[in-house]
Amino acid sequence: MRQAIEADDILEAETESEQEVSRRMAVIEAYALIMKEKRKAAIDARRASGIETIWQEDEDAYEGLDQFNRTSYTKGRTTDSGLTETRKPPAGRSTVLPNITRPYCDAAAARVADMLLPTDDRNWAIRNTPNPKLIKHLDDTAPAIGPDGLPMTKPAGAMQPAPAQKPGMFERIGGAVAGMFNPAPEQAQETQPVTVGEVAQQEIDKAKVSAERAQTVIDDYLVECRYHAEVRKVIESTTRIGTGILKGPHPTRKKTRTAKKSAAGWQVAMEIKTAPVSLAVDPWNFYPDGNCGDDIQNGSYCFERDDITARGLRELKGPGYINQMIDLCLEEGPISSVDGVKKSDGNSKASVSDNDLFEIWYGHISVSKKDMEAAGCECEHEYAPAVVTMVNDRIIKITLSPLDSGEFPYDVMVWQSKIGSWAGIGVARHIRTCQQGLTGAVRSLMDNNAISSGPQFIMDTSKIEPQNGRWEITPNKIWRKKVGTEDITDVRQAMMIVSIETRQAEILNIVNYWTREAENVTGLPMLLQGQQGNAPNTLGATQIVNNNSSTVLRRIARTFDDRITERHIGRYYEWVLLHGPDDAKGDFQIDARGSSALIERDMQNQAQMQLLGMSLNPAYGFDPEKVAKEVVKGMRLDHKNFAFDEEQKKAMAERQPPEDPRITAAKIMMEGKLKSEEMETKQLADRTVAEARMALERQNHEARENAADRKDVADGLKVKLTDTTLKLKMQEKLTHEAAAQADDHVVAQHRMDLFKGQAANPAVEPIGQAPAGEAFIK
C-alpha cells in the first residue's frame, strides 16, 4: 500500500544531524544530475525531430506571417527562437498576406468542439462489465445456499433477497451458493426461499448502480475542473499545429466554502480538499522520451515545463517540498534549462525580484526507493512511478504518482498522425501550399496594380529638359528643347508615354484556384465556415456535400475517442478505484461514444423532425417525449428548460388518463363520416324541396293556364246558349203566331221565309196541312 509522507513525517533540518542532512542532500543532488541528463535528452530529441520547426511555421501561418512581413506585424505568441527565416522584402514589392489559414483552423476547431462537447450530453459512459458467471445463473430456480449451509430466504412478497451482511460475489460449487446471508431472525418470521437467479440478478443490478455512481462521481470531477473549456484548448491547438495535450487527473488542492451549524448558529468555514483536475498543456512545454515512437506511454519518462515567479516559488515552501533546495534556487536566480545561462546578474536573494520567472519542470519517471526516501517520501517497492519537480537544476520535490498503474497523465491528440512520431500535423500544415500559392498570387496582383496604375515615361534627356530642373512628373509642367538640338522640331519626339497592361482578370483566376484547392486539401468545405462556397444551390446537393465532408469529422471524432476519451476517463476511473467512494467501485469499462453518438446525432438532426411527426402515430411505437428530447438536443438546447416541473407533472398525473390514440382516431373518422353523411342528407333534402317547389310552381302555372282556357270555353258556351235561347224564343213566338193565323197559309209561309235564319229549325211539324203530294217532305 503506497502512501505519501504527511507534514509531521517530513525530515526537517532541525530534527536531523548535519551529517544526515548532508547525506540526504548528496543523494538528491546526485539524482538531480540524472534527471538533468534525461531532461536534456528529451529537449534535444524533440529539437532533432524537426517538429519544432513545423510548429513554428504553422504558428506563423496562423498569425499571417512569413519571412518578408515578419517585422511588419506583432506576433501572437513569443515562442520564436530563431527557427524561422526573416528576409528583407524587395524594394517596391508587396508583402501583404491574405490569411486563410486562421479561418480554416478556427472553423475546424469550432465544428469539432461543437459536436464532441455538447452542453446536454457527454461523449463517454461507464458500463459495468458483464459477468458470465452471473448471466448463466439468471434462469436458475434452485434455492440459494448461504455460507452457513442454510437456504437463503427473503421476506414474503419481496422482489429481491434480503440485504446481505457482507457484500461479495456468489459462487455456486456443488449446490452451495456463497456471498449472501439469511436475514435477521426478527425479519424471517414470514419468509420464502431465494433462488440462485434472484441472487445473480441482485448482483447484476448492484453492478449497474455502482457504474452509474462512478459515472456521476467522474462527471462531477470534470464539471468542477471545467473539462470542456480545457478540451476546447486542446482541440484548437490540434487544428493549429496538429498536436494537443490534455493532462489529468492531476491532484490539486482546492479551497471550498461550507456552512456548519453550531450552538452560536450557522458559520461559514473554508475546507481544503484534494481533487483531480484536467488541464490543457501547451505542446511547446511538453518533452517526451525521444524513444517513445508514436505513443508517449511507450517512453521511459516525460517532462512538462512551466513558469513560476519567485514569489510563487517561495510560497511552495512547506510540507512535501525540500525547502533547502528552494532556498538555493532563490539565491542563484533563474537559470535557463537549455544553455545553463543565468537570467539575472545577482547572486543573492535581494537581487531576485518577485516577478522574475523561474522554469519549473515536472518529470514523470520511475524512481528508486533510495532516492524517494532521500526526498522524504516512503516507498514500499524497489522502483515506483513518481513525479519529480525541478527548478533550475535542483529537485525541490519527489512524490509518488497518484495512480498505481504508473501511466503518464498526458494524452496527445493529433489531427493527422505522422508515422513514427508522437506529434501530428494540423490544418495549417494541410493548407500550407494553398496559403503560399494564394499569397504569391495576391502579391502579384498588388504589384501589377501598382505598376499599371500609371504610365511609364521614356525621355531623351539629351534633347529635352524640364523648365524647373526637376524630372518628377507633376501637373502643368513645362518641357523644352535643349539648346543645340536642331534635329528635332517637336519636343514630343524626345518623349514617349507607355501604359503597362493590367493582368487583374488572369491573376484573379489563380487566386480563385488556390481558394478552391484549400477546400480540397483540408476536406473542410466553406459550408462548415458558414459560407456557400462552391456548393450547389439545391437543398439535396447541399446535403450531399455536407454529408461527404463529415467523413473527415468522423475520423477526427474516432481519433479523439481513441487518444483522449478512453485513456483520460480510464485514468479517472482508476482514481475513483483508489480514492473514490466505495459505492462507486466495481469492474467497469469505458464506453467512448463521441463518433457513434454525438457525430451521428449531429448529422441526423434533419431527420429528427420527421421522427417527431411519426411518434404521434402509435403504429410506429415511438415515444413522443423521448423523440422531442432528441430533437431539442439536436438544436443544442437543454430539454429541461422546456419540461414540466414537479407540480405540473403531478397535475398531469391526476388528470384522467388520455384516451387510446387509436380510439381517438376512430372517433375522429366516425365524426367525419357522420358529418359527411349529414351534409349529403341535407343536400338531398334541399334538392327535394327545390324540386317539389318547382313542380308545384309548374302545376300552378298549368292550372292557371287551364282555368283561363275553361273560362274562354264557358264564355263561348254562354254566347252559344244565349243565341240558342233567343232563337228558341223567337221560334216559340213564331209558332204561336202561325197557330193563330193558320188559315192564312201563304201569309205564314211568307213570314217563315222572312224570319228564316232568325229562329230555330222546328223540332216538330207546325200546325197546318202540307200541300197535296208534299206531306212527307214538309
Side-chain angles (χ1 to χ4, degrees):
M1 181 67 181
R2 62 177 182 78
Q3 67 180 42
I5 300 300
E6 301 296 336
D8 55 354
D9 296 328
I10 299 296
L11 299 176
E12 299 291 345
E14 292 79 1
T15 62
E16 292 180 304
S17 64
E18 293 184 2
Q19 184 178 1
E20 291 175 342
V21 172
S22 299
R23 181 189 60 81
R24 196 162 58 86
M25 292 297 102
V27 173
I28 294 175
E29 289 178 355
Y31 189 69
L33 294 177
I34 298 176
M35 291 297 297
K36 179 181 177 181
E37 292 298 324
K38 293 185 179 297
R39 182 183 65 184
K40 184 176 184 304
I43 294 174
D44 293 341
R46 199 186 78 173
R47 180 177 300 170
S49 68
I51 192 64
E52 293 183 357
T53 303
I54 294 177
W55 287 354
Q56 188 65 65
E57 290 175 352
D58 293 345
E59 293 282 7
D60 289 345
Y62 183 80
E63 296 293 340
L65 303 176
D66 66 357
Q67 66 271 26
F68 295 119
N69 70 344
R70 189 177 306 279
T71 58
S72 302
Y73 302 95
T74 301
K75 287 202 60 176
R77 59 178 297 123
T78 59
T79 57
D80 190 1
S81 56
L83 298 176
T84 54
E85 183 181 7
T86 301
R87 296 182 183 178
K88 184 177 181 180
R93 300 296 298 274
S94 173
T95 61
V96 66
L97 194 152
N99 192 351
I100 62 172
T101 302
R102 179 187 289 270
Y104 267 92
C105 292
D106 292 345
R111 182 63 169 165
V112 173
D114 192 32
M115 291 186 294
L116 292 180
L117 303 173
T119 57
D120 56 351
D121 200 356
R122 63 179 69 89
N123 61 347
W124 58 272
I126 301 293
R127 311 291 186 192
N128 59 300
T129 304
N131 191 327
K133 293 182 179 180
L134 295 175
I135 295 175
K136 71 179 182 178
H137 288 298
L138 287 176
D139 298 331
D140 194 344
T141 58
I145 306 300
D148 54 0
L150 299 177
M152 297 177 61
T153 59
K154 65 180 179 180
M159 298 300 295
Q160 294 292 341
Q165 297 178 6
K166 295 182 180 179
M169 188 71 67
F170 81 96
E171 186 172 0
R172 190 181 186 196
I173 305 176
V177 180
M180 287 296 181
F181 288 82
N182 289 326
E186 61 271 16
Q187 297 177 350
Q189 296 178 356
E190 296 182 3
T191 61
Q192 62 185 30
V194 176
T195 65
V196 174
E198 292 175 335
V199 177
Q201 185 62 51
Q202 187 182 38
E203 290 292 336
I204 293 176
D205 294 341
K206 181 181 177 181
K208 291 181 180 179
V209 173
S210 298
E212 294 176 357
R213 172 60 174 159
Q215 179 173 290
T216 302
V217 172
I218 295 176
D219 201 20
D220 290 341
Y221 288 151
L222 299 181
V223 171
E224 290 180 1
C225 70
R226 301 180 73 247
Y227 173 77
H228 283 190
E230 298 300 321
V231 172
R232 275 192 288 269
K233 296 178 183 178
V234 173
I235 294 175
E236 290 172 358
S237 176
T238 302
T239 58
R240 189 174 64 253
I241 62 176
T243 306
I245 301 175
L246 184 65
K247 179 181 180 180
H250 175 65
T252 303
R253 290 190 175 185
K254 293 184 176 182
K255 294 182 179 180
T256 58
R257 294 183 178 88
T258 58
K260 296 183 178 180
K261 189 175 182 180
S262 61
W266 287 94
Q267 295 180 350
V268 177
M270 299 296 296
E271 291 186 355
I272 299 178
K273 65 176 183 178
T274 301
V277 298
S278 296
L279 299 172
V281 177
D282 190 346
W284 286 95
N285 294 332
F286 183 70
Y287 298 84
D289 185 357
N291 299 320
C292 66
D294 58 359
D295 190 350
I296 64 171
Q297 301 297 338
N298 296 332
S300 301
Y301 54 84
C302 64
F303 289 88
E304 178 191 352
R305 177 194 173 279
D306 201 357
D307 294 324
I308 186 171
T309 62
R311 176 182 177 183
L313 180 61
R314 191 177 297 112
E315 292 176 352
L316 292 179
K317 296 176 62 176
Y321 285 88
I322 306 174
N323 298 331
Q324 296 93 328
M325 293 297 179
I326 294 179
D327 291 336
L328 292 175
C329 292
L330 291 173
E331 289 180 2
E332 62 189 8
I335 298 178
S336 172
S337 60
V338 178
D339 50 17
V341 177
K342 290 186 178 182
K343 298 181 180 179
S344 60
D345 297 332
N347 293 321
S348 62
K349 292 182 180 180
S351 64
V352 179
S353 171
D354 287 344
N355 295 326
D356 286 346
L357 288 178
F358 289 80
E359 291 183 1
I360 183 169
W361 291 79
Y362 304 97
H364 298 264
I365 191 172
S366 180
V367 181
S368 66
K369 181 178 180 179
K370 180 183 69 172
D371 296 328
M372 294 281 288
E373 291 177 349
C377 185
E378 289 186 354
C379 181
E380 297 180 356
H381 304 285
E382 190 65 24
Y383 285 90
V387 181
V388 180
T389 305
M390 300 180 64
V391 175
N392 292 344
D393 295 334
R394 303 182 183 277
I395 296 176
I396 65 173
K397 181 181 180 181
I398 299 179
T399 183
L400 286 170
S401 173
L403 303 178
D404 283 348
S405 63
E407 184 177 354
F408 301 146
Y410 298 96
D411 297 303
V412 180
M413 174 62 186
V414 298
W415 186 264
Q416 184 174 353
S417 59
K418 294 177 59 179
I419 298 177
S421 175
W422 61 273
I425 58 177
V427 177
R429 180 59 46 170
H430 283 293
I431 206 175
R432 180 173 178 79
T433 302
C434 299
Q435 177 69 75
Q436 291 177 339
L438 180 64
T439 301
V442 172
R443 287 178 176 176
S444 297
L445 179 65
M446 299 298 294
D447 293 340
N448 178 256
N449 181 71
I451 64 176
S452 63
S453 60
Q456 299 290 317
F457 295 88
I458 303 174
M459 300 181 184
D460 188 352
T461 57
S462 63
K463 297 180 180 180
I464 62 172
E465 62 180 358
Q467 185 180 15
N468 58 5
R470 293 191 295 270
W471 291 89
E472 295 85 358
I473 302 299
T474 58
N476 303 321
K477 194 165 189 175
I478 300 175
W479 298 84
R480 62 189 179 188
K481 294 190 304 178
K482 288 186 176 180
V483 178
T485 56
E486 303 298 337
D487 56 335
I488 62 172
T489 60
D490 191 346
V491 71
R492 288 176 295 180
Q493 296 177 1
M495 179 183 297
M496 180 181 297
I497 299 176
V498 179
S499 296
I500 304 299
E501 184 179 0
T502 178
R503 298 290 183 179
Q504 182 177 2
E506 293 81 353
I507 299 178
L508 283 178
N509 288 334
I510 301 176
V511 172
N512 295 332
Y513 167 77
W514 286 116
T515 304
R516 293 191 302 268
E517 192 66 15
E519 299 185 32
N520 299 330
V521 299
T522 60
L524 300 172
M526 299 299 289
L527 286 174
L528 298 184
Q529 304 180 39
Q531 303 179 29
Q532 180 68 23
N534 298 319
N537 293 325
T538 61
L539 176 60
T542 303
Q543 291 178 353
I544 293 175
V545 172
N546 197 13
N547 291 336
N548 292 338
S549 65
S550 66
T551 56
V552 176
L553 301 178
R554 283 195 289 266
R555 177 183 63 80
I556 298 300
R558 295 187 183 97
T559 303
F560 188 88
D561 289 345
D562 297 337
R563 289 178 168 263
I564 297 291
T565 304
E566 291 184 359
R567 296 184 176 186
H568 199 77
I569 303 301
R571 289 197 297 273
Y572 268 96
Y573 167 57
E574 183 180 353
W575 177 282
V576 172
L577 291 180
L578 294 173
H579 313 288
D582 293 338
D583 60 348
K585 300 178 180 179
D587 186 12
F588 308 139
Q589 59 185 2
I590 309 301
D591 180 17
R593 51 194 180 91
S595 59
S596 61
L598 303 179
I599 299 295
E600 296 299 331
R601 187 189 73 178
D602 187 82
M603 301 307 302
Q604 295 171 0
N605 285 341
Q606 297 178 357
Q608 289 179 355
M609 296 303 297
Q610 299 178 1
L611 291 178
L612 185 61
M614 295 173 60
S615 65
L616 301 178
N617 189 340
Y620 294 105
F622 294 159
D623 188 347
E625 182 179 357
K626 294 180 179 179
V627 174
K629 288 182 179 179
E630 292 299 323
V631 172
V632 175
K633 284 183 180 180
M635 298 177 180
R636 293 171 178 81
L637 300 173
D638 190 355
H639 67 87
K640 296 179 182 178
N641 298 332
F642 309 96
F644 289 123
D645 54 26
E646 295 299 330
E647 295 182 357
Q648 291 174 328
K649 289 182 179 180
K650 184 178 179 181
M652 292 290 292
E654 294 176 353
R655 293 181 182 179
Q656 189 71 17
E659 190 177 42
D660 190 339
R662 291 172 294 184
I663 299 177
T664 304
K667 287 184 177 180
I668 294 175
M669 293 178 63
M670 183 59 68
E671 291 178 358
K673 185 176 181 180
L674 292 177
K675 289 182 179 179
S676 178
E677 293 179 353
E678 181 180 355
M679 183 69 68
E680 292 179 358
T681 304
K682 185 176 181 302
Q683 293 176 354
L684 180 60
D686 292 343
R687 287 197 301 269
T688 304
V689 171
E691 292 176 356
R693 182 179 292 108
M694 292 178 63
L696 182 60
E697 290 292 338
R698 188 168 52 254
Q699 292 177 358
N700 292 337
H701 180 68
E702 293 177 353
R704 286 193 295 271
E705 291 181 350
N706 294 335
D709 293 341
R710 288 195 297 270
K711 182 178 180 183
D712 294 341
V713 173
D715 292 342
L717 293 176
K718 288 181 179 180
V719 172
K720 291 182 178 180
L721 181 58
T722 303
D723 181 66
T724 304
T725 303
L726 292 175
K727 288 181 177 182
L728 290 175
K729 289 182 177 181
M730 178 61 69
Q731 182 65 38
E732 183 181 3
K733 181 177 179 182
L734 293 176
T735 301
H736 286 292
E737 291 181 355
Q741 300 176 4
D743 54 343
D744 192 351
H745 179 70
V746 178
V747 174
Q749 187 63 38
H750 176 71
R751 289 186 177 180
M752 290 294 291
D753 295 336
L754 181 62
F755 292 99
K756 187 177 182 179
Q758 299 181 7
N761 293 327
V764 298
E765 187 67 22
I767 301 174
Q769 291 182 353
E774 296 181 4
F776 181 78
I777 298 173
K778 298 182 178 182

